[in-house]
Amino acid sequence: MAGRSDCIFCKIIAQEIPASIIYEDSHIIAFADINPVASEHLLIVPKEHIQSLADVSMDNCSLLGQIQVVAAQLAKETGVASSGFRLVCNCGINGGQTVDHLHYHLIGGRKLQWPPG
Ligand code: 5GP
Ligand code: ZN
């Protein structure tokens, strides 16, 4: 699967730059966030380059469902399922998205604030 040459997550998917990869299947990869905001902070990323959640269609239903199931599985494996965690997708400028390749943050290991800042 050819990634975008200007996309950092496509480069991680292509193993052109290193990441601490926790999970991988044919459609999804998960790796540790380089700048964790909690003791558990993974990024769950579709291998297909989709810019943001604003760009998905019904064709992506299966992929989006799989991401949630993988998130639940990784929450169990990293030990945060019972204490609780958050699955976050930042979208666009107001959403705080800084990498323009769809991704979900799996964050846990401490009590998180709500509402977000
Ligand atoms: P966003 O702000 O778009 O929701 O999240 C992007 C996330 O990607 C940030 O939490 C940031 O720390 C992480 N990130 C950015 N560049 C890299 C990288 O090269 N490697 C890894 N592992 N994470 C990255
Ligand atoms: Zn990409």
Side-chain angles (χ1 to χ4, degrees):
M1 197 183 304
R4 300 283 173 97
S5 58
D6 59 344
C7 173
I8 192 118
F9 287 176
C10 283
K11 287 184 179 151
I12 289 173
I13 291 159
Q15 300 196 6
E16 289 168 13
I17 64 167
S20 179
I21 296 169
I22 311 293
Y23 173 87
E24 187 168 14
D25 64 29
S26 52
H27 299 295
I28 296 167
I29 192 166
F31 50 88
D33 195 295
I34 204 166
N35 185 22
V37 299
S39 58
E40 295 299 334
H41 187 171
L42 303 180
L43 299 172
I44 306 173
V45 182
K47 289 186 170 177
E48 180 185 349
H49 182 94
I50 299 169
Q51 184 169 322
S52 81
L53 191 59
D55 299 296
V56 303
S57 71
M58 285 297 178
D59 291 342
N60 303 123
C61 279
S62 167
L63 174 67
L64 295 173
Q66 286 172 39
I67 287 173
Q68 297 227 37
V69 175
V70 166
Q73 188 179 313
L74 293 176
K76 283 195 198 97
E77 286 174 18
T78 57
V80 299
S82 57
S83 53
F85 60 90
R86 197 169 287 169
L87 187 66
V88 176
C89 179
N90 297 324
C91 180
I93 291 171
N94 281 0
Q97 183 175 5
T98 59
V99 176
D100 287 338
H101 180 134
L102 177 64
H103 56 280
Y104 291 76
H105 299 253
L106 174 61
I107 302 168
R110 66 173 172 84
K111 182 84 171 80
L112 299 167
Q113 305 284 315
W114 190 263

